[in-house]
Amino acid sequence: MKKADVFEFFRRLAEANPSPETELEYGNTYQLLVAVTLSAQSTDVGVNKATRALFREVKTPAQMVELGEEGLKQHIKTIGLFNTKAKNVIALSQILVDRHGGEVPADRDAMVELPGVGRKTANVVMNCAFGAETFAVDTHIFRVGNRTGLAKGKTPLAVELQLEKKVPQPFRVGAHHWLILHGRYICKARTPECWRCPEVDLCAFKDKSVERGTKKAAA
C-alpha cells in the first residue's frame, strides 16, 4: 500500500471513530494488565463478564495476592486456560508488589519479564495506559495487515515492525485500536464484509465480497 493510501486508510477509520478504545473493561492500569493477560485466546466479551465482579473486589496487586490463586480461579473459570492464567496473574502481582512498589512499570521490557505477559500484552498496556505509540498485533491486525497490503509479514512481529515503519502521525496512538475493530467487525476472517468496508478501494485483497451476503474464505 502506497504512503498516500496508508494515510487515507487511517484518515477514514479516524473519521468514523475519532476516539478508539479497547473493548476490555478496567478501572486502572493494573486491572488493564490483568484483563489483557486474561484475554489471550479468549474474547473481550468473555473476559469482561469474568472480571466485572473480580475488579470490584480486586484493584491492586496486593489485593490479588491476598485473593490467591484458588480465589482467582473462581472468578475466571469461564475463561479458556484459566488455570495457567490464574497462576500467572498471581505470580505477576507478587512481582509488582516486590519489585515495582505495586505499580505497573511504564516500560515494555520490564512488563515482558512478568509471568504470562508477552510483547502483545505489553504493547496494549503501553498504548492504553501510557499513550505509547505501540502496535499490538493480534490475529485481527495480523489478518488485516496482510490482507489489505497495509503491513505484510509472516509473523506478528514482522507485521508490527511494518506498522511501526508505515503508520503516520496523527494516527499512531490509535492505529492498533482501529485495526482490531476493523478486523473484528468488518474485515472478518471467514466472511469479510467488503461490501460495507470504507477501505475497499484501497485494499489489495483480490477476492473481495462486494455484494452483501457473498461469502469468501480468505487468507
Side-chain angles (χ1 to χ4, degrees), residues 120-133:
K120 183 186 75 172
T121 295
N123 277 338
V124 172
V125 177
M126 288 298 298
N127 180 274
C128 296
F130 303 114
E133 296 175 357

Side-chain angles (χ1 to χ4, degrees), residues 3-212:
K3 185 175 181 179
D5 290 341
V6 173
F7 187 93
E8 179 62 16
F9 186 98
F10 284 105
R11 188 200 65 78
R12 294 177 187 180
L13 293 177
E15 183 177 48
N17 182 7
S19 302
E21 297 179 344
T22 178
E23 293 186 321
L24 289 170
E25 298 172 2
Y26 64 96
N28 59 38
T29 302
Y30 170 68
Q31 290 181 341
L32 172 64
L33 175 63
V34 171
V36 180
T37 301
L38 295 176
S39 72
Q41 300 181 50
S42 302
T43 66
D44 288 1
V45 172
V47 171
N48 289 338
K49 287 181 179 179
T51 58
R52 283 177 190 137
L54 173 65
F55 287 166
R56 284 196 292 270
E57 181 179 349
V58 174
K59 296 177 172 59
T60 69
Q63 290 173 339
M64 186 69 78
V65 172
E66 185 177 353
L67 176 66
E69 190 174 328
E70 292 305 314
L72 176 56
K73 285 180 183 179
Q74 293 306 307
H75 282 282
I76 66 170
K77 58 187 177 182
T78 56
I79 300 176
L81 305 175
F82 73 93
N83 284 312
T84 298
K85 290 176 180 178
K87 182 178 180 179
N88 285 334
V89 168
I90 295 300
L92 73 84
S93 299
Q94 187 67 64
I95 290 172
L96 290 178
V97 171
D98 293 342
R99 303 181 192 172
H100 300 283
E103 300 292 333
V104 178
D107 179 270
R108 181 170 62 189
D109 292 339
M111 260 191 269
V112 170
E113 292 180 357
L114 298 171
V117 178
R119 185 181 180 90
K120 183 186 75 172
T121 295
N123 277 338
V124 172
V125 177
M126 288 298 298
N127 180 274
C128 296
F130 303 114
E133 296 175 357
T134 53
F135 305 91
V137 178
D138 67 351
T139 55
H140 296 300
I141 294 183
F142 185 79
R143 179 177 66 254
V144 172
N146 277 286
R147 180 185 279 169
T148 63
L150 172 67
K152 304 194 79 164
K154 293 183 178 180
T155 66
L157 179 58
V159 171
E160 179 186 337
L161 294 177
Q162 284 293 305
L163 291 170
E164 176 69 39
K165 179 180 178 181
K166 292 183 175 181
V167 177
Q169 295 290 9
F171 309 116
R172 292 178 67 82
V173 172
H176 99 264
H177 294 296
W178 285 311
L179 293 175
I180 287 173
L181 296 171
H182 189 65
R184 185 174 290 165
Y185 297 112
I186 296 180
C187 196
K188 302 175 183 178
R190 292 178 180 245
T191 55
E193 297 180 2
C194 308
W195 51 270
R196 70 182 188 94
C197 177
E199 315 291 359
V200 67
D201 59 314
L202 303 174
C203 176
F205 186 47
K206 294 180 180 179
D207 297 321
K208 293 188 177 83
S209 53
V210 294
E211 294 183 6
R212 184 169 186 168

